Each structure stands twice: as C-alpha cells, then as structure tokens.
C-alpha cells in the first residue's frame, strides 16, 4: 500500500468518525484532494487509490497538471477544482480547463468565467468564497454583500452556482472553530431559503475538518492529510 493510499484511508476514517459524532451520513461529505505543490505522479497515486476530485491553487501549475494527467491517465474521469485567489487576467485558462471554481468573490471574475467558458463544455461549477471572520485583507466576499453577488452569479450563462467556500482562521478550541464554520452554514441556509438551491458547502482542511463537518460541511479540502507536508516556502504563500 502506498503512503497516499494509507493517508486517504485515514482521512476517510476521520470523516466517518466525525460524521458519526454529529449524526450525519458520511456520504454527504465529499473529499477534495488538494494537490497544489505535488506533482502529477502524486495525483496518479491518489487516482489509483480511488480519489477523483483534485484542488489546485495556482493557475499555471494547475493547468499543467491537468494536461499531464490527460496524457498519463487518458480514460480517467477526473474533476479539477480551482480553489486559489483568481486575478481577472488569469480567468481564461481556468474557464477552459477546470470543472469547478470555488474562489469566486466578485462579479467581475464570474462574468469573465461566464464569457470564457467554452460553449461545448458542461457549465462551470461555482462556489462563492465568503470571508466569515472579517479579515480586511483576506479573500472572500463580505457576508453583507453575499446575497447580491449570489443572485447575480446565479443568472450568468455557462456557470452553475453550487454553493459557498470559506477558509476561517485557526481558532483555539474545537467549539470556537465550529462556530466560525457555522457562520458560513447560516449564510448557506439563508441563500437556500431565498430560493437559490445550493448543495455545496466547501469548508474544512487537514487541521480542522472535524469542526467543519460538525458545522455542516459537504466538502472538505484536504492537502497535507492526503499528500504529506508541503515545502515550507510554498505553504506560506498558500
Ligand atoms: C492549501 C489549501 C487547502 C488544503 O490545506 P491543507 O492544510 O493542506 O489540508 C484547502 N483549501 C485551500 C483554499 C487551500 O489553499
């Protein structure tokens, strides 16, 4: 058994345990393997262990890996999620190659993705990144602006608004961490009550997935827990 295969088993065990603890169905929480900084061979190992959805932060690195995997595993059904901050001059390769973008936090980015999504591809699946803990220089739409952005994005052609993504700061206790995630859950429920039919609440990473599951996460994004530790330099810009 490879290390990545064993790591994947351990992450699935953690998901099973944390779901059981709060009475949730483990099938309601998807695992996104965050492969940033890891090479195409690592993605192949995860794929061979049954993992099909991968997250990338950097456009250039992500598009290269997508091309590499097309050659290495031409018949595999892979799903690629862009989860890093997106500049408006870098939307085209994302619109042309990724399946999901989870880091949309302003209308201009969504409009460009909508215009640039090739008509012969399935709709680009979108999550809005929301800044739940208010750091002024953090990515993510402010909660007070979320409703208007969600409505506008939901009306754009070739995009399908699926839900919300958030990356709260680390909190000192499980309960404090869960309460930060709960802010996103409250916003998610509000948007659904307003009729948006969202099904994806993307939150929780290697260090805090239990708290995210307790708050209602439907997709955890796990990098180090699956692939091992990243080089220090790259971890800090992530
Ligand atoms: C890097 C990253 C992750 C994964 O982080 P780990 O701590 O390695 O699990 C998840 N989401 C986003 C947006 C990231 O940038």
């Amino acid at each position: 058994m490879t290390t990545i295969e064993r790591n994947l088993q351990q992450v699935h065990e953690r998901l099973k345990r944390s779901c059981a603890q709060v009475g949730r169905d483990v099938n309601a929480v998807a695992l996104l393997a965050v492969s940033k900084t890891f090479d195409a061979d690592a993605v192949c190992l995860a794929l061979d262990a049954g993992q099909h959805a991968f997250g990338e932060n950097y456009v250039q690195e992500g598009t290269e890996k997508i091309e590499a995997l097309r050659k290495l595993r031409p018949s595999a059904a892979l799903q690629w999620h862009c989860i890093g901050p997106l500049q408006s001059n870098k939307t085209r390769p994302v619109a042309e190659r990724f399946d999901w973008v989870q880091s949309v936090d302003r209308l201009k980015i969504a409009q460009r993705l909508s215009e640039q999504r090739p008509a012969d591809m399935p709709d680009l699946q979108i999550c809005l990144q929301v800044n739940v803990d208010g750091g002024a220089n953090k990515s993510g739409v402010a909660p007070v602006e979320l409703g208007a952005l969600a409505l506008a994005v939901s009306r754009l052609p070739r995009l399908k608004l699926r839900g919300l993504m958030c990356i709260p700061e680390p909190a000192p206790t499980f309960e404090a961490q869960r309460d930060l995630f709960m802010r996103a859950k409250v916003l998610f429920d509000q948007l659904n009550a307003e009729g948006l039919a969202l099904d994806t609440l993307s939150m929780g990473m290697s260090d805090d997935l239990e708290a995210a599951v307790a708050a209602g996460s439907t997709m955890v994004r796990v990098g180090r827990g699956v692939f091992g530790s990243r080089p220090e330099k790259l971890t800090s810009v992530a």
Side-chain angles (χ1 to χ4, degrees):
M1 184 183 291
T2 67
T3 305
I4 288 176
E5 194 175 358
R6 189 161 49 238
N7 289 348
L8 276 167
Q9 276 189 1
Q10 278 167 4
V11 172
H12 284 295
E13 276 305 313
R14 284 174 69 188
L15 287 173
K16 215 184 288 175
R17 248 180 288 132
S18 45
C19 281
Q21 234 144 38
V22 293
R24 296 188 59 201
D25 177 357
V26 72
N27 296 313
V29 186
L31 172 61
L32 183 70
V34 177
S35 45
K36 66 177 177 211
T37 79
F38 296 98
D39 62 15
D41 292 337
V43 174
C44 282
L45 287 173
L47 183 65
D48 296 343
Q51 177 67 31
H52 285 81
F54 296 90
E56 288 287 335
N57 283 55
Y58 313 106
V59 175
Q60 173 89 16
E61 179 191 345
T63 52
E64 283 173 11
K65 222 174 286 178
I66 291 170
E67 293 310 318
L69 263 292
R70 272 186 193 149
K71 299 206 174 87
L72 289 165
R73 292 288 190 279
S75 59
L78 284 154
Q79 198 182 74
W80 291 97
H81 296 233
C82 174
I83 60 174
L86 247 186
Q87 293 166 286
S88 57
N89 63 348
K90 296 223 179 117
T91 50
R92 186 174 293 278
V94 173
E96 291 178 349
R97 289 189 182 78
F98 280 81
D99 304 292
W100 287 63
V101 181
Q102 298 199 7
S103 43
V104 172
D105 63 357
R106 54 195 194 277
L107 186 56
K108 186 180 174 200
I109 296 285
Q111 283 167 333
R112 291 179 65 91
L113 291 170
S114 169
E115 285 159 14
Q116 293 166 345
R117 181 65 167 177
D120 61 348
M121 289 180 79
D123 285 352
L124 188 58
Q125 310 294 302
I126 301 290
C127 289
L128 301 178
Q129 184 175 349
V130 56
N131 180 353
V132 289
D133 48 4
N137 49 10
K138 271 179 69 167
S139 304
V141 60
V144 291
E145 291 162 13
L146 176 65
L149 178 63
L151 196 61
V153 171
S154 73
R155 291 173 172 158
L156 291 173
R158 290 190 285 281
L159 303 187
K160 171 119 182 86
L161 181 61
R162 296 292 297 271
L164 304 180
M165 186 271 266
C166 69
I167 316 172
E169 292 298 310
T173 65
F174 176 87
E175 287 75 17
Q177 193 73 59
R178 185 196 55 202
D179 289 351
L180 285 177
F181 286 125
M182 280 302 299
R183 296 183 190 177
K185 168 69 167 156
V186 167
L187 295 166
F188 177 79
D189 289 345
Q190 269 168 10
L191 292 174
N192 274 333
E194 289 163 15
L196 275 175
L198 307 180
D199 62 8
T200 303
L201 186 52
S202 171
M203 54 188 197
M205 315 199 295
S206 296
D207 292 334
D208 57 14
L209 70 85
E210 285 83 2
V213 165
S217 170
T218 71
M219 186 185 293
V220 294
R221 308 178 310 273
V222 180
R224 291 166 298 133
V226 172
F227 293 105
S229 56
R230 285 184 293 274
E232 197 56 47
K233 185 167 98 275
L234 291 163
T235 310
S236 56
V237 265

